Amino acid sequence: MESSSVFANIVRAPEDPILGVTVAYNKDSSPHKLNLGVGAYRTEEGKPLVLNVVRRAEQMLVNDSSRVKEYLPIVGLADFNKLSAKLIFGADSPAIQENRVTTVQCLSGTGSLRVGAEFLARHYHQLVIYIPNPTWGNHTKIFGLAGLSVKAYRYYDPATRGLDFQGLLEDLGAAPSGSIVLLHACAHNPTGVDPTIEQWEQIRQLMRSKGLLPFFDSAYQGFASGSLDADAGSVRMFVADGGECLAAQSYAKNMGLYGERVGALSMVCKTADVASRVESQLKLVIRPMYSNPPIHGASIVATILKDRDMYNEWTVELKAMADRIISMRQKLFDALSARGTPGDWSHIIKQIGMFTFTGLNTEQVAFMTKEYHIYMTSDGRISMAGLSSRTVPLLADAIHAAVTRVG
Amino acid sequence: MAGFGKAMACRQHVRTRLGTRFMSSSSSSWWQSVEPAPKDPILGVTEAFLADPSPDKVNVGVGAYRDDNGKPVVLQCVREAERRIAGNLNMEYLPMGGSVKMVEETLKLAYGENSEFIKDKRIAAVQSLSGTGACRLFADFQKRFRPDSQIHIPVPTWANHHNIWRDAQVPQRTYHYYHPESKGLDFSALMDDIKNAPNGSFFLLHACAHNPTGVDPSEEQWREISHQFKVKGHFAFFDMAYQGFASGDPDRDAKSIRIFLQDGHHIGISQSYAKNMGLYGQRVGCLSVLCEDEKQAVAVKSQLQQLARPMYSNPPVHGALVVSTILGDPELKKLWLKEVKVMADRIIGMRSALRENLEKLGSPLSWKHITDQIGMFCYSGMTPEQVDRLTKEFHIYMTRNGRISMAGITTGNVGYLANAINEVTSSA
């Protein structure tokens, strides 16, 4: 006879708001449906893309019969870690040359953020993190579960559909000294609104004067402007002043490695000795979470980054993805202008990266899903990567209808 | 054994605080007071081994399989699966719960090919980051939904079990398991601990090939344990990291789980493909929880996903593809079963060889436990001091609890190893 379950009272959790969009999309039987939900790149033909250079790297790995599948060290693949640090901080970064950077391989951006957050919760003295409003939905859960108290700083201005710079400065200025501040390195998710270089400099000065600890989330390096160096500008600006920071890197989008879960957490410290001790403590966070990170994706990245030809090939393919997205922005803006859709839509071409914060409200979004089978997150965020020349007119029609017919 | 057997009630995170210092001035670090962490006892052994220049060195530390030449092995079925996968598929995100196909095949291994529980969709299951990830997800789940519960852990156990439940903030108790005098199971003390635990306690059980001792209950003993669990209403969480790897027969190695299922327990299982498919660094595993009905399984799965999302969002695709490619193809699956048996048989052969060598050397001690124990590890019974001598004098590396990884033994080094063990255990 069976005993009853100890988990009998558990209720079903709500769908993840972002991943739930794809679930709903998959259930829709309309032939015209369009998925502008989760931020995964699509080609002009609407297909997922594996970069050629990634396929080449993977083939090399498979063909190398000397390769084994042993456990990586807790901190991951050493080559990968070094190369990742160089990628984001710059090969000539003094912090790297002085051995002040510790880098650990983690499970994409999510894993890097979580490991960093857990480390902070154990070793930092000010257990509060300020995150921009709005931000990627998973940020709050990651930091909260790690034991940090989560507060918001003003970021997006719905009136301008741009940066609320004054609000940002006020809120960070009012934060208790030592607070951690989450910064999107580039291509802010979900708004696509980034500070200018001048604004970044002001942010940096303010943060350093108040002793606020920067924690960068870099999920789109190279993917935003097409230039790896330009997209790392904000991070390098902070590192250049000699101060400390954390940086979470993801290769999900810029190398198309999504499901392989490849990322890195770097901690830039004052001294090499500190960096070494910090690394030893990071291991204590990782070991009881998953012991050591998965080898496959990191091996692909290391193969590409360490070979000059493959690296160059990658930058070309990366720029092509970024350029396609930029052209989709232009096409959508042009299509809305052509239809005379009410409102100022210039934010579509001013915002940067994978996402556009359309400014549509939840009713309008629901309308577009119901009437036009267009799927996006309810905050009006659309993934530009999901658009093609063929589908832009459809989207423009839907936005036009939503804006003119729904409140 | 020192270190692993301490009873742990409630252990909190160790926090290092800077106290009143709060400004990172231009010269000081936020992390000035961060202590260097102690080295992981298991992984630290391999580091030390790699650093040793001696040509005679032997690594019987970390539990990764080696062939008779002491080389790591990639299974043929795995190479073939990778050939098929490479260049053929995209790398899109898996769902939060991982590869559905891989999870389906994995549940068949644990619950049985024709399990009614699978048919009735009563199992909440998600792909996990190998065994560690499965245990951690379950521990987090236990903390969230049974916050007043504790976990009962055998003495000794894999050291990382303590870390996992500690970081999940679930208080720990221990139960008797290993009997040092007999180098076997302390069955009566184990049963006493089961009886004395409060009703409805959560227990961690090693399904087969107990790590680090290699000591498993017999089938009859498992039946008694299961019966007593019913009487007490305990929850059984099985860590199965060595299915197929222990006896060479996956169904046989899952016997403990099958007994519990027959007796009507709603169990949880952590499964790993690290050893039995040699996928170590790919981090492939599965966490499952048997529920009352499909509705509850859906609810539990959704909650497990809620815990995975802020940890890594979704699990890595490559290793899961390898597993589902192999298990989904009858020929590849057959090949895999053959290769698993080869690994298990080699280890069983090395157990016999080590024992024979020691007996031939005229060791006065009994080494019967070497062949009584099963799986990757042998709990030799050597003291930390004897282990240190093995390392210093003979360049033999193992963890200080006297645990020998049998997979590190070869026909080439078994004589050397036996001689060294005999030396350090014969002298005062």
Side-chain angles (χ1 to χ4, degrees):
Chain A
M1 207 208 41
E2 287 202 19
S3 48
S4 65
S5 168
V6 298
F7 301 114
N9 296 329
I10 285 175
V11 294
R12 185 173 184 171
E15 285 284 358
D16 181 281
I18 301 174
L19 303 176
V21 169
T22 297
V23 170
Y25 168 85
N26 287 336
K27 290 198 181 114
D28 189 326
S29 54
S30 161
H32 306 296
K33 62 181 180 176
L34 187 57
N35 187 0
L36 301 178
V38 77
Y41 183 81
R42 292 286 177 269
T43 62
E44 253 297 300
E45 295 73 38
K47 298 257 178 293
L49 177 68
V50 177
L51 303 185
N52 285 329
V53 72
V54 167
R55 285 224 185 281
R56 266 216 290 145
E58 203 181 32
Q59 207 57 53
M60 283 165 64
L61 295 171
V62 163
N63 291 339
D64 183 355
S65 55
S66 72
R67 282 190 62 81
V68 294
K69 302 206 168 302
E70 297 288 280
Y71 292 124
L72 284 177
I74 298 173
V75 298
L77 191 61
D79 278 354
F80 168 84
N81 290 337
K82 285 198 182 60
L83 292 161
S84 294
K86 288 209 178 108
L87 184 66
I88 186 157
F89 299 119
D92 52 357
S93 166
I96 294 179
Q97 279 155 14
E98 292 158 17
N99 289 318
R100 294 193 284 112
V101 180
T102 177
T103 305
V104 295
Q105 180 191 338
C106 293
L107 279 104
S108 209
T110 306
S112 305
L113 290 165
R114 178 64 179 268
V115 169
E118 293 272 345
F119 174 87
L120 290 170
R122 283 168 212 214
H123 298 285
Y124 195 57
H125 64 285
Q126 183 71 273
L127 301 187
V128 59
I129 184 163
Y130 282 77
I131 64 178
N133 182 17
T135 194
W136 181 47
N138 206 18
H139 278 142
T140 306
K141 294 197 194 119
I142 293 169
F143 297 123
L145 227 62
L148 298 175
S149 160
V150 180
K151 293 201 169 8
Y153 63 90
R154 277 169 286 172
Y155 192 84
Y156 178 71
D157 184 354
T160 62
R161 292 178 189 167
L163 182 66
D164 180 358
F165 191 49
Q166 266 316 112
L168 180 155
L169 291 176
E170 277 171 32
D171 288 349
L172 292 190
S177 189
S179 302
I180 309 157
V181 179
L182 178 74
L183 302 164
H184 294 226
C186 69
H188 179 272
N189 176 2
T191 68
V193 169
D194 284 350
T196 62
I197 294 179
E198 293 75 27
Q199 288 171 329
W200 271 121
E201 172 59 18
Q202 277 187 263
I203 294 169
R204 184 196 67 77
Q205 280 179 24
L206 172 63
M207 285 183 61
R208 293 308 196 194
S209 73
K210 296 228 43 178
L212 302 176
L213 178 67
F215 194 159
F216 283 97
D217 184 353
S218 176
Y220 300 100
Q221 188 186 2
F223 204 92
S225 69
S227 158
L228 288 158
D229 287 325
D231 288 348
S234 59
V235 177
R236 295 183 189 179
M237 185 188 287
F238 276 75
V239 174
D241 69 14
E244 296 179 318
C245 67
L246 293 83
Q249 271 170 288
S250 166
Y251 289 95
K253 286 83 171 175
N254 63 8
M255 244 192 230
L257 291 174
Y258 305 97
E260 302 291 351
R261 319 311 292 130
V262 204
L265 170 72
S266 284
M267 289 191 59
V268 181
C269 307
K270 282 287 184 188
T271 68
D273 174 64
V274 169
S276 158
R277 282 184 271 137
V278 162
E279 182 174 295
S280 72
Q281 292 290 347
L282 286 171
K283 287 183 188 174
L284 293 193
V285 169
I286 293 169
R287 176 62 160 150
M289 215 184 264
Y290 50 84
S291 282
N292 40 72
I295 188 172
H296 190 72
S299 303
I300 292 174
V301 172
T303 301
I304 292 170
L305 293 183
K306 69 159 64 115
D307 177 300
R308 188 135 57 113
D309 289 338
M310 291 183 90
Y311 179 89
N312 289 336
E313 201 184 319
W314 173 48
T315 60
V316 169
E317 289 192 82
L318 182 51
K319 189 164 189 314
M321 288 196 286
D323 285 349
R324 196 182 89 68
I325 286 178
I326 290 168
S327 85
M328 288 302 108
R329 291 183 174 280
Q330 192 62 52
K331 285 196 156 68
L332 180 60
F333 174 76
D334 291 343
L336 290 169
S337 302
R339 282 159 180 70
T341 307
D344 176 3
W345 298 97
S346 62
H347 56 286
I348 292 178
I349 45 180
K350 285 188 204 148
Q351 292 167 4
I352 192 169
M354 178 106 55
F355 302 110
T356 290
F357 227 38
T358 54
L360 297 163
N361 61 41
T362 42
E363 289 79 30
Q364 290 164 331
V365 169
F367 168 84
M368 286 171 65
T369 304
K370 188 157 176 289
E371 301 298 323
Y372 286 83
H373 305 277
I374 292 177
Y375 289 80
M376 68 186 78
T377 46
S378 58
D379 55 4
R381 181 195 86 163
I382 55 175
S383 170
M384 301 310 288
L387 279 174
S388 67
S389 311
R390 189 183 56 83
T391 55
V392 161
L394 183 66
L395 176 61
D397 287 342
I399 292 177
H400 187 92
V403 165
T404 50
R405 284 157 57 181
V406 182
Chain B
M1 287 289 143
F4 304 106
K6 297 254 163 69
M8 276 171 262
C10 191
R11 279 182 63 178
Q12 299 301 315
H13 288 287
V14 174
R15 291 194 191 282
T16 61
R17 297 253 178 188
L18 291 180
T20 54
R21 276 183 59 197
F22 52 77
M23 288 292 273
S24 176
S25 67
S26 57
S27 52
S28 67
S29 167
W30 289 120
W31 318 114
Q32 208 53 49
S33 65
V34 169
E35 298 285 320
K39 280 201 177 300
D40 183 279
I42 301 173
L43 303 176
V45 169
T46 296
E47 277 181 33
F49 167 82
L50 290 169
D52 186 329
S54 164
D56 301 321
K57 63 181 180 176
V58 175
N59 185 0
V60 283
V62 77
Y65 182 78
R66 296 283 178 272
D67 63 14
D68 201 47
N69 296 312
K71 296 273 176 281
V73 170
V74 177
L75 302 187
Q76 280 180 53
C77 61
V78 169
R79 288 224 186 274
E80 175 55 29
E82 289 205 304
R83 260 193 296 274
R84 295 185 195 179
I85 292 166
N88 276 340
L89 297 154
N90 62 52
M91 289 162 167
E92 294 288 281
Y93 293 125
L94 282 175
M96 280 183 285
S99 158
V100 168
K101 184 147 187 282
M102 177 271 205
V103 167
E104 269 172 19
E105 292 295 336
T106 303
L107 293 181
K108 284 188 204 163
L109 281 179
Y111 292 83
E113 189 76 28
N114 301 305
S115 164
E116 60 185 288
F117 306 117
I118 297 178
K119 287 202 189 71
D120 295 343
K121 300 198 166 95
R122 287 177 50 186
I123 308 173
V126 296
Q127 179 185 338
S128 66
L129 291 154
S130 211
T132 306
C135 287
R136 176 56 180 271
L137 260 190
F138 182 79
D140 281 350
F141 177 72
Q142 184 186 350
K143 175 67 182 175
R144 181 170 277 189
F145 292 101
R146 296 301 299 250
D148 299 330
S149 68
Q150 302 178 321
I151 185 77
H152 293 249
I153 294 183
V155 177
T157 194
W158 179 49
N160 206 23
H161 280 143
H162 295 295
N163 300 331
I164 290 168
W165 268 271
R166 179 204 63 219
D167 274 18
Q169 297 182 43
V170 174
Q172 304 176 30
R173 309 286 312 225
T174 57
Y175 62 88
H176 289 85
Y177 191 83
Y178 180 69
H179 194 234
E181 289 73 39
S182 62
K183 301 188 186 68
L185 184 66
D186 193 348
F187 187 59
S188 58
L190 163 64
M191 292 304 288
D192 282 345
D193 285 346
I194 293 174
K195 286 173 193 147
N196 293 332
N199 289 357
S201 292
F202 283 68
F203 275 77
L204 169 70
L205 303 166
H206 296 224
C208 66
H210 180 273
N211 177 0
T213 68
V215 170
D216 285 350
S218 66
E219 193 179 313
E220 298 71 44
Q221 288 172 328
W222 274 122
R223 291 192 190 284
E224 281 196 52
I225 293 168
S226 172
H227 173 75
Q228 198 54 233
F229 265 57
K230 286 236 84 159
V231 168
K232 298 287 300 183
H234 289 332
F235 182 92
F237 183 73
F238 284 94
D239 184 351
M240 183 157 67
Y242 299 99
Q243 188 183 13
F245 203 90
S247 70
D249 176 352
D251 278 321
R252 192 162 142 203
D253 288 345
K255 192 66 185 170
S256 58
I257 287 175
R258 306 286 169 84
I259 287 169
F260 270 67
L261 292 172
Q262 272 162 18
D263 286 351
H265 293 285
H266 292 172
I267 63 177
I269 307 179
S270 156
Q271 286 171 268
S272 166
Y273 286 103
K275 286 84 169 173
N276 63 9
M277 229 183 246
L279 293 177
Y280 306 94
Q282 305 287 355
R283 319 309 293 130
V284 204
C286 177
L287 166 67
S288 61
V289 178
L290 176 61
C291 301
E292 280 174 350
D293 52 37
E294 183 178 350
K295 179 157 172 271
Q296 196 184 90
V298 166
V300 168
K301 180 178 169 173
S302 74
Q303 295 294 350
L304 292 174
Q305 289 176 174
Q306 289 286 308
L307 291 163
R309 175 62 158 153
M311 203 186 282
Y312 49 84
S313 281
N314 39 74
V317 62
H318 186 77
L321 272 179
V322 171
V323 172
S324 59
T325 301
I326 292 171
L327 297 184
D329 176 319
E331 287 305 312
L332 280 183
K333 184 169 180 180
K334 224 191 302 178
L335 175 57
W336 171 58
L337 289 170
K338 216 175 81 179
E339 294 190 274
V340 163
K341 189 160 190 319
V342 165
M343 290 194 286
D345 284 347
R346 193 184 92 67
I347 287 182
I348 291 168
M350 286 301 102
R351 288 183 177 278
S352 298
L354 181 60
R355 178 180 167 187
E356 277 164 27
N357 271 270
L358 283 163
E359 286 167 354
K360 273 209 207 86
L361 285 167
S363 170
L365 306 171
S366 166
W367 297 102
K368 183 170 174 293
H369 55 286
I370 295 180
T371 47
D372 285 346
Q373 292 166 6
I374 189 169
M376 180 94 70
F377 303 111
C378 162
Y379 231 38
S380 62
M382 286 186 288
T383 65
E385 294 69 35
Q386 289 169 334
V387 170
D388 288 343
R389 279 193 62 197
L390 280 181
T391 307
K392 280 196 186 67
E393 295 170 35
F394 295 93
H395 306 276
I396 293 171
Y397 290 81
M398 68 180 75
T399 48
R400 291 185 86 234
N401 54 7
R403 182 193 85 164
I404 298 175
S405 171
M406 299 306 298
I409 304 181
T410 67
T411 50
N413 65 25
V414 65
Y416 177 77
L417 179 62
N419 182 60
I421 293 176
N422 187 43
E423 281 287 322
V424 306
T425 54
S426 304
S427 22

